[in-house]
Amino acid sequence: MNKQPGQYFGQPLQRLEDQPLVRGQGCFAADISFPYQLHMRVVRSDHAHGRILSIDTSAAAALPGVVAIWTADDVADIPPIDFREGSVEKLAPFRQHILAQGKVRYVGDPVAVVFATDAYLAEDAADLVRVDIEELVPLLSADDAPQEFSPGLLTEATICSQGYGDVEAAFKQAHAIVELDLSIGRHTGVPLETRGAIGRYDAARDVLELHGAAKVPHRNRESLAKMLSRSTTSLHLYEGHVGGGFGVRGEIYPEDVLVLVAALRFNRPVKWIEDRREHLMATNHSRQQHHRIRAAVDANGLLLGIENEVWHDQGAYIRTHGTRIADMTCGILPYPYKVPAYQADLHFRLTNKTPAATYRAPGRYEANFVRERLLDAIAIRLGLSRIEVRRRNLIRQEEMPYEAPLMALGEHIVLDSGDYEGLLDKSLASIKCVELEAEVAARKANGELVGLGLAMFVEKSGLGPTDGARINVDSSGTVEVVTGGASVGQGFETVMAQVCAETLGVAYTKIRVVHGRTDRIEYGIGAHASRATVMTANATREAALLVRKKALTVAAELLQTPEDQLDIANGIVFRPSQPQGPSISLGEIAQRLRPLSPNRGDHIPGLCAEGWFNTDHQVYPYGVFIALARIDPGTGAVIVERIQIAYEIGRAINPMLVKGQIMGGFAQGLGGALLEEFRYDDRGQPLCLTFADYLMPTLLDVPPVEILLCEDAPSPCNPLGIKGAGESGIAAAGAVIASAVEDALGLPGVIRSLPITPHMIKDILRKSSGTPVEMCP
Amino acid sequence: MKAASFQYYAPTSIADVVALMAEHSDAGIRILAGGQSLVPTMAYRLARPAHLIDINRIAGLDQITDHGEFLEIGALVRHEGFAANRLPARLGAILAHIANHIAHRPIRARGTFCGSLAHADPASEWCLVAATLEAELIAESARGVRTISSADYFRGIMSTALEDDEFLTSVRIRRPADDTLFGFFEYSRRHGDFALAASLVSFQLTAGLMQNVRLGLGGVEDYPRRLAEVESLLEGQSPSAAVFTRAGDLAAQHVNPSAADVDYRIELVKTVVERALQHANETT
Amino acid sequence: MKITLTLNGNKHQVDVEPRHTLTDVIRDACGYTGTHLGCEHGVCGACTIIVDGEAIRACLMFAIQADGRTIRTIEGLAQGNTLHPLQEAFVKHHALQCGYCTPGFLMLATHALEKNPDITDAELQDVLSSNLCRCTGYQNILAAVQDARDTMRTPS
């Protein structure tokens, strides 16, 4: 593997995506309109839990411009929304119908839909729909005893367990047992663009279209086709510009299905644009878990075993991911440390709150917080530094690849490559840890509440097994890369263009990248779980290699030169030994390869190829966070003064974009650590339905992120050596901020939950009577 | 989040406004000035006025007039209008300083001083200013003009002495003595958010002792008010960190937070009072 | 009700209901979809535009209030093929990812730099804290606006 940056590969090139976006020429969901379209408005439950007694639509239906109003009976033929990875019989009863049948289970549960000729009017009509609900006592915490979900079924849908080794023996021989009770608050992605879906039925071609798709259009097409009893080839999903994904957008929600059913039935386009109030109660929430974790350690601080019991607050229904986050939480928790015996049991429980699913680094943000709190606690218990306790427990470079007897995303974890201790050392050196510790000690001595935090983590990326891409060069020399990937704003087009440009030998600006369209390519892996770059880039490379081969074969004939003496640069095939000699452009070759071209010879028409990439295993990037935080004792405010993120990326195709992912991810992670939380009152009414209540970080809340991007451990799992980056900046943000805040307080064990609010800090300061303990990092 | 329908009026005189208010006061009528609080509540359909009177086309309401004894702030003076420092030195400086704590630039370009007072959010900075300094609110209706003292104006959370048919045409702030010092401190979760607690103080220093102390607190109770006990404590004292801490402690004993997080708010009261006093002391 | 808006130099006569927000009218009646709706309650700033020389939240103004006024939106920022220095700087500094908040940030920054070409870094941070971005973590946005300020101050 060539580690040198190429002309395109490894370069911080400007994005191809930016031109239309800075000019206001993007095409987001709300920007899509079709003639004669109807506007859909969802009537949502005002109650967290209740029985629907009646729904009176008469006043609403009487408004001029209202075309139809549906309740559950009108869509009784549509099955509930299934799990993407296939049905799980045990979980099937907990799936969500597209309109609530008989019962409502969270504030925001869709009970009816209005179709009208104007969006304002649709909202007027929705207001007039009278829903009579007999209120039932809501279940609002996964800690509370499970109740009846439906006759014969409890709200504890399942218990997810993973483990290995003799945990009991580990605890019996322990020098010390460290036990923590930790929780992570309910928060989520909240992209700046709300969701949107536009259904359109083209009767002339018998094609049903869903515009506003994102994330996994191809996989969603299969699910939707099944729900609507259509062939997949007569259903197409179109991804336009996407105003942020973060895991929550692009899953199948009731509204996506409703616009399609309505478009078919009315034979008119149907447009639905979520408003922000709806978004905060209807789009997937995430993260809420409660962990009771115990570690058995020997006298040197070496982990002997970990036992963890988890209560996972799933909200009202089980959505498209099934129990994926729960499985991920249990599977990834131990790493990067060696844990001889391990057992995790997670209570997967439903509550009367917005359904939960994946948000950037699902399961890892949670697990990293829990594990790293545990390591800090072990350090304190044994009087070790926080660095030393980690160093002693890290999996060693010589143990790679490290086969772990745990599962993540349905496959066995094999940590592919890495030097965890090496990255820790680099990280400490880069931030000048010794000087920083001295500076913090001096400030502490001066009375300041200031502290350092450290957190390590292992990410996962690039889940396969297979993705493909098709490349075609037209006679102008423009290259089209057709992928089944998805762009959620991460720079997908630019990255694919860079890989294609480097491999094929064309300028990256001459490349057009297609994504998110089921009518252009049959299969696609989408953009989720940091896999787009690993999977689709490698597929693009395969296709580009084939096109290159074909171009060289044709050129060799024309230039009367052996293929191995030719090269391609800037779209021109030439002889490097004779740069001024004969050459031919890719466009000319494409011209010769047209089906009717008299010069085609025996070649199959077209300068095009399809490439596939297969992998057996995910890749496991890793990182180290170090944070410096200060507390204002008067208000309880936490100010993150510095953050350094060291991250092993394997190989960065575009370091500027990787850094962008890390910076943006950290800002979101800081939000979850300090600001963002969906709160409910005791009747299950959501208290955060505005941006004045759901607090996301602004520019003044996010410090500059110091990034140490390392390419020391390229993945052996793919020819490009790349590991993903999409979730790295957020993964250990909660963990490191908690660590720094606890150090600033000088009170071991007091930071047990996220978000860390000023209120919580003031409570801790008021109640603290113990002597501050010096915790060196 | 589209507002419900309403009848829209854009009168060009105060007389037209009060006539419209007299005519429609029973049917739900609201004044639209900056709209930075009203329009969001309309988008959430928490407010559904049947009639909306846009006063933005009335000339002359966008002035801060220095009448010598008092400053008169017209109904269309935007938050940003306090940034341009045309006002008496120290009072102008503190009002500009306070204005910078209100939301963000684009909001400050539209939102108005009088609109904040009419809305009467417990956390409003301008309500704290009116409650702390000597302010009079001028309310006009078809029935005539009346002056409401700030001490009588606030009635509860977003509830005031204004009648349904009254239009708040201006607010007058008595001009403090030129040597008056001011201090302000507020805490909010993020810059620009509503204050969880805020305090404004003013006093003069005579022979090194605090005189004519005014100390107001906002964001904690149903509406901002002066804390007489704390003012008495400070009156005649020499400013010092110890005195300020005692003032903060005393303030905390005399508030009844209306929010759920009572203990926290009480602790914040200590901090904001102490820091507002420090701020005033630093400006000497 | 018929109103006239001067949008990026072009006059648009449109028929509106009083309750129609300026954002909805600019987007749906005038066809300028570059102004985005992020929250519809004045917090996120995605709909920031310039009306009569003031940067405002277009979701908090009814279109009827803008009758006869001069409005600038993102579509009017570039001069033909030539990007505005701020647009150039956003591309150069990777100050956008999904691009949804970008028009609002660009109009906010345009107004800030026009009002005060010598705006300090601290003032810029204060101004830019008005709007929300969920992708970038803000540092690249700040760097881009600082760069554009410096470029615009020293004509080359």
Side-chain angles (χ1 to χ4, degrees):
Chain A
M1 199 175 325
N2 180 10
K3 267 194 71 181
Q4 295 306 309
Q7 191 182 356
Y8 302 102
F9 204 111
Q11 298 295 344
L13 300 178
Q14 291 185 1
R15 299 201 319 169
L16 299 176
E17 288 90 341
D18 288 354
Q19 288 295 324
L21 292 172
V22 297
R23 289 170 177 270
Q25 293 168 338
C27 188
F28 296 90
D31 305 337
I32 299 165
S33 283
F34 293 104
Y36 202 48
Q37 72 190 5
L38 292 173
H39 294 264
M40 184 176 91
R41 177 81 186 169
V42 180
V43 180
R44 299 180 184 277
S45 172
D46 288 332
H47 296 281
H49 192 202
R51 227 180 305 280
I52 301 172
L53 301 177
S54 65
I55 301 174
D56 179 0
T57 60
S58 54
L63 278 188
V66 172
V67 171
I69 302 170
W70 292 352
T71 62
D73 290 345
D74 297 293
V75 290
D77 56 324
I78 307 293
I81 297 170
D82 214 346
F83 310 120
R84 195 195 302 138
E85 308 302 332
S87 291
V88 184
E89 203 180 329
K90 189 180 179 191
L91 304 178
F94 302 97
R95 293 171 302 173
Q96 184 171 18
H97 285 270
I98 59 173
L99 289 175
Q101 296 189 341
K103 269 181 117 181
V104 292
R105 299 184 186 275
Y106 65 101
V107 173
D109 205 346
V111 292
V113 267
V114 173
F115 301 95
T117 51
D118 171 273
Y120 282 76
L121 186 64
E123 193 162 337
D124 292 345
D127 270 4
L128 294 175
V129 174
R130 291 280 153 261
V131 184
D132 190 12
I133 287 174
E134 178 197 351
E135 204 173 341
L136 300 171
V137 177
L139 179 61
L140 296 171
S141 170
D143 294 342
D144 294 345
Q147 296 178 9
E148 190 177 70
F149 180 84
S150 55
L153 275 183
L154 285 177
T155 51
E156 181 162 287
T158 186
I159 293 179
C160 305
S161 291
Q162 292 203 56
Y164 57 84
D166 190 341
V167 174
E168 206 182 319
F171 278 86
K172 268 190 193 140
Q173 66 183 85
H175 164 77
I177 293 172
V178 176
E179 186 166 352
L180 294 175
D181 195 296
L182 302 166
S183 54
I184 301 99
R186 177 173 270 257
H187 60 277
T188 194
V190 194
L192 253 284
E193 184 198 18
T194 56
R195 288 182 296 137
I198 301 96
R200 176 169 178 258
Y201 178 58
D202 181 347
R205 297 183 298 140
D206 184 29
V207 169
L208 185 60
E209 301 174 352
L210 179 65
H211 299 262
K215 187 179 179 181
V216 279
H218 287 84
R219 304 292 299 279
N220 284 347
R221 173 168 72 157
E222 289 171 31
S223 303
L224 288 166
K226 212 163 127 194
M227 286 183 79
L228 301 173
S229 305
R230 291 186 70 85
S231 64
T232 49
T233 44
S234 71
L235 174 63
H236 283 303
L237 273 66
Y238 298 84
E239 177 184 70
H241 279 114
V242 174
F246 315 126
V248 299
R249 183 202 299 281
E251 293 299 325
I252 300 176
Y253 288 88
E255 298 87 356
D256 301 301
V257 187
L258 285 162
V259 296
L260 289 176
V261 175
L264 267 174
R265 289 198 193 163
F266 302 136
N267 196 14
R268 284 177 79 167
V270 176
K271 180 170 181 172
W272 174 74
I273 300 299
E274 184 181 52
D275 70 32
R276 187 53 71 182
R277 180 175 182 274
E278 288 183 290
H279 181 90
L280 295 171
M281 63 165 74
T283 296
N284 289 336
H285 287 181
S286 197
R287 301 275 198 253
Q288 191 164 25
Q289 289 182 346
H290 170 204
H291 291 240
R292 200 169 289 152
I293 192 162
R294 303 167 68 212
V297 290
D298 73 9
N300 295 318
L302 280 179
L303 286 159
L304 302 173
I306 288 179
E307 197 173 50
N308 192 15
E309 190 173 9
V310 187
W311 291 265
H312 176 95
D313 187 333
Q314 173 55 29
Y317 298 99
I318 304 182
R319 281 187 169 164
T320 45
H321 294 94
T323 59
R324 277 256 154 132
I325 298 176
D327 298 334
M328 175 61 79
T329 306
C330 298
I332 201 87
L333 191 130
Y335 308 109
Y337 308 113
K338 218 172 342 178
V339 182
Y342 175 73
Q343 181 62 38
D345 299 292
L346 180 146
H347 303 269
F348 193 82
R349 290 183 174 175
L350 282 88
T351 56
N352 293 113
K353 297 188 286 195
T354 299
T358 55
Y359 166 37
R360 203 173 196 177
R364 280 102 73 200
Y365 187 87
E366 301 90 321
N368 292 337
F369 168 71
V370 169
R371 181 196 58 251
E372 294 300 295
R373 291 277 70 215
L374 187 67
L375 268 286
D376 277 6
I378 293 168
I380 290 159
R381 171 71 76 86
L382 298 188
L384 293 168
S385 85
R386 289 178 286 173
I387 296 168
E388 184 57 28
V389 78
R390 284 170 171 83
R391 196 184 287 284
R392 290 181 188 180
N393 283 289
L394 286 173
I395 294 165
R396 316 259 143 229
Q397 187 178 13
E398 55 273 19
E399 293 171 287
M400 295 290 170
Y402 185 84
E403 286 202 35
L406 295 174
M407 308 281 287
L409 299 183
E411 61 179 48
H412 271 290
I413 293 174
V414 181
L415 304 175
D416 54 331
S417 61
D419 177 4
Y420 298 157
E421 191 175 12
L423 189 65
L424 174 62
D425 286 333
K426 270 192 164 183
S427 183
L428 296 170
S430 171
I431 203 163
K432 297 195 172 67
C433 189
V434 177
E435 291 89 334
L436 187 59
E437 281 177 56
E439 178 195 319
V440 168
R443 289 175 65 183
K444 280 182 175 179
N446 207 24
E448 270 193 86
L449 296 184
V450 60
L452 285 171
L454 170 69
M456 298 186 70
F457 69 106
V458 170
E459 256 296 294
K460 52 98 243 157
S461 163
L463 178 67
T466 297
D467 199 26
R470 200 165 54 232
I471 294 177
N472 181 55
V473 184
D474 72 16
S475 52
S476 77
T478 300
V479 182
E480 187 180 58
V481 181
V482 183
T483 74
S487 170
V488 289
Q490 77 277 48
F492 178 85
E493 294 173 34
T494 303
V495 168
M496 297 309 134
Q498 285 182 255
V499 171
C500 179
E502 188 73 37
T503 313
L504 185 52
V506 292
Y508 87 119
T509 48
K510 289 278 275 183
I511 297 173
R512 302 168 60 88
V513 177
V514 175
H515 54 82
R517 289 186 58 157
T518 60
D519 64 337
R520 293 300 313 276
I521 190 165
E522 198 55 34
Y523 303 101
I525 205 155
H528 53 140
S530 302
R531 75 183 82 192
T533 300
V534 174
M535 294 304 301
T536 314
N538 276 294
T540 297
R541 178 178 170 275
E542 294 298 328
L545 285 171
L546 294 172
V547 171
R548 180 184 173 89
K549 167 81 182 140
K550 187 165 184 178
L552 289 175
T553 305
V554 174
E557 294 164 12
L558 293 167
L559 303 177
Q560 301 287 305
T561 309
E563 278 178 46
D564 60 6
Q565 290 179 28
L566 294 174
D567 197 3
I568 312 177
N570 285 318
I572 309 283
V573 187
F574 68 106
R575 289 175 73 159
S577 60
Q578 199 186 341
Q580 304 307 320
S583 66
I584 184 168
S585 73
L586 293 178
E588 287 169 281
I589 296 173
Q591 177 72 24
R592 298 180 84 95
L593 287 172
R594 290 170 59 167
L596 296 182
S597 165
N599 304 319
R600 177 161 62 83
D602 294 334
H603 297 289
I604 294 171
L607 183 51
C608 55
E610 190 169 276
W612 290 90
F613 175 68
N614 306 298
T615 184
D616 299 333
H617 285 291
Q618 297 179 80
V619 296
Y620 293 89
Y622 51 92
V624 181
F625 281 46
I626 297 175
L628 173 66
R630 177 180 87 241
I631 291 166
D632 176 348
T635 61
V638 172
I639 301 99
V640 179
E641 294 185 354
R642 281 185 74 181
I643 175 72
Q644 176 186 280
I645 299 177
Y647 189 62
E648 171 57 49
I649 182 87
R651 242 185 129 190
I653 297 172
N654 185 326
M656 180 177 80
L657 302 194
V658 171
K659 288 177 182 171
Q661 288 297 305
I662 293 174
M663 288 192 271
F666 179 74
Q668 286 188 312
L670 178 142
L674 298 177
L675 291 164
E676 299 174 33
E677 187 177 26
F678 289 109
R679 290 171 286 112
Y680 288 81
D681 73 8
D682 54 11
R683 289 177 64 194
Q685 289 295 327
L687 299 177
C688 300
L689 297 180
T690 77
F691 276 173
D693 300 295
Y694 188 80
L695 307 178
M696 297 190 289
T698 71
L699 181 137
L700 294 172
D701 303 300
V702 187
V705 182
E706 302 158 43
I707 297 171
L708 186 63
L709 198 57
C710 297
E711 299 181 289
D712 297 334
S715 175
C717 296
N718 65 75
L720 293 174
I722 48 184
K723 300 182 169 187
E727 299 165 283
S728 50
I730 195 171
V736 79
I737 291 172
S739 177
V741 170
E742 192 166 286
D743 184 39
L745 288 165
L747 301 166
V750 291
I751 299 299
R752 295 188 286 260
S753 63
L754 299 177
I756 304 164
T757 63
H759 186 176
M760 183 196 295
I761 296 287
K762 287 293 276 182
D763 278 349
I764 291 168
L765 290 172
R766 187 185 328 119
K767 289 170 190 159
S768 71
S769 49
T771 350
V773 172
E774 200 68 23
M775 302 199 300
C776 40
Chain B
M1 285 178 55
K2 311 294 183 193
S5 286
F6 53 81
Q7 196 74 41
Y8 174 83
Y9 310 89
T12 52
S13 73
I14 293 175
D16 290 347
V17 174
V18 298
L20 283 165
M21 294 194 79
E23 190 184 343
H24 300 295
S25 62
D26 297 337
I29 188 161
R30 296 291 291 267
I31 300 274
L32 175 64
Q36 306 298 290
S37 299
L38 177 61
V39 179
T41 58
M42 290 172 71
Y44 274 83
R45 297 201 174 195
L46 298 170
R48 297 173 184 238
H51 303 273
L52 195 65
I53 306 179
D54 180 358
I55 60 168
N56 285 281
R57 299 199 185 244
I58 302 175
L61 292 183
D62 58 350
Q63 299 299 311
I64 303 175
T65 316
D66 190 347
H67 292 284
E69 257 183 54
F70 57 86
L71 292 180
E72 180 152 22
I73 300 157
L76 282 175
V77 173
R78 318 279 172 183
H79 306 317
E80 207 171 72
F82 293 87
N85 223 334
R86 296 170 286 114
L87 304 173
R90 282 178 176 149
L91 179 62
I94 194 71
L95 293 178
H97 176 71
I98 292 171
N100 278 333
H101 287 77
I102 303 173
H104 296 282
R105 290 283 179 96
I107 300 288
R108 299 202 284 271
R110 295 289 302 161
T112 64
F113 181 94
C114 289
S116 293
L117 282 169
H119 188 57
D121 190 291
S124 156
E125 289 83 357
W126 292 141
C127 291
L128 174 61
V129 165
T132 308
L133 307 181
E134 269 185 277
E136 288 179 331
L137 295 91
I138 313 301
E140 283 198 46
S141 70
R143 295 172 288 121
V145 181
R146 67 175 178 132
T147 302
I148 311 168
S149 124
S150 58
D152 302 327
Y153 178 72
F154 298 103
R155 295 283 165 86
I157 296 176
M158 295 182 185
S159 168
T160 72
L162 277 183
E163 301 287 345
D164 285 346
D165 65 342
E166 282 182 319
F167 169 36
L168 183 61
T169 54
S170 70
V171 174
R172 292 173 179 170
I173 297 179
R174 181 160 297 280
R175 185 177 184 147
D178 286 344
D179 59 352
T180 304
L181 302 173
F182 298 93
F184 174 79
F185 188 85
E186 84 164 42
Y187 177 65
S188 57
R189 290 291 296 277
R190 298 172 303 180
H191 173 67
D193 282 352
F194 280 116
L196 296 179
S199 181
L200 172 64
V201 296
S202 71
F203 55 79
Q204 289 159 276
L205 277 180
T206 308
L209 303 180
M210 291 186 277
Q211 306 283 345
N212 299 320
V213 180
R214 289 173 166 267
L215 188 144
L217 180 75
V220 177
E221 299 178 322
D222 288 359
Y223 50 86
R225 67 178 173 101
R226 288 168 65 185
L227 299 178
E229 300 84 355
V230 185
E231 291 177 353
S232 310
L233 171 85
L234 293 165
E235 194 71 33
Q237 298 284 321
S238 165
S240 72
V243 168
F244 296 163
T245 302
R246 272 169 54 212
D249 288 342
L250 188 66
Q253 288 167 30
H254 284 90
V255 293
N256 290 301
S258 44
D261 48 352
V262 175
D263 290 350
Y264 177 56
R265 294 300 182 100
I266 287 176
E267 296 213 37
L268 274 186
V269 167
K270 278 187 208 173
T271 301
V272 298
V273 165
E274 200 177 329
R275 290 186 185 176
L277 285 161
Q278 281 164 4
H279 182 224
N281 204 34
E282 283 158 14
T283 58
T284 51
Chain C
M1 286 170 140
K2 285 239 186 304
I3 61 166
T4 304
L5 306 175
T6 304
L7 252 169
N8 302 324
N10 303 317
K11 278 210 181 344
H12 290 258
Q13 201 178 59
V14 287
D15 203 5
V16 302
E17 282 183 52
R19 62 169 167 165
H20 288 165
T21 64
L22 184 53
T23 326
D24 283 344
V25 169
I26 287 173
R27 289 176 49 82
D28 300 335
C30 304
Y32 289 95
T33 55
T35 301
H36 296 151
L37 279 174
C39 72
E40 288 186 278
H41 58 283
V43 183
C44 79
C47 66
T48 306
I49 58 172
I50 300 174
V51 176
D52 280 354
E54 280 296 345
I56 60 126
R57 312 276 210 232
C59 72
L60 297 187
M61 186 182 267
F62 295 111
I64 199 164
Q65 295 183 272
D67 187 13
R69 295 186 193 276
T70 299
I71 298 168
R72 291 164 63 197
T73 68
I74 185 67
E75 288 91 343
L77 203 51
Q79 298 295 316
N81 285 331
T82 311
L83 293 181
H84 186 279
L86 271 165
Q87 291 171 310
E88 292 275 10
F90 267 57
V91 174
K92 179 177 156 198
H93 290 274
H94 187 32
L96 63 151
Q97 288 182 27
C98 81
Y100 198 77
C101 71
T102 309
F105 267 104
L106 283 169
M107 297 316 287
L108 179 73
T110 297
H111 174 258
L113 296 188
E114 285 176 1
K115 208 154 196 189
N116 180 7
D118 297 315
I119 190 166
T120 65
D121 287 351
E123 286 169 324
L124 262 188
Q125 290 192 28
D126 178 63
V127 172
L128 296 175
S129 75
S130 306
N131 286 14
L132 292 173
C133 168
R134 199 59 167 160
C135 294
T136 64
Y138 301 106
Q139 293 308 315
N140 288 351
I141 295 177
L142 180 63
V145 180
Q146 287 169 334
D147 190 359
R149 172 197 61 195
D150 298 343
T151 308
M152 290 162 74
R153 255 194 321 213
T154 47
S156 50

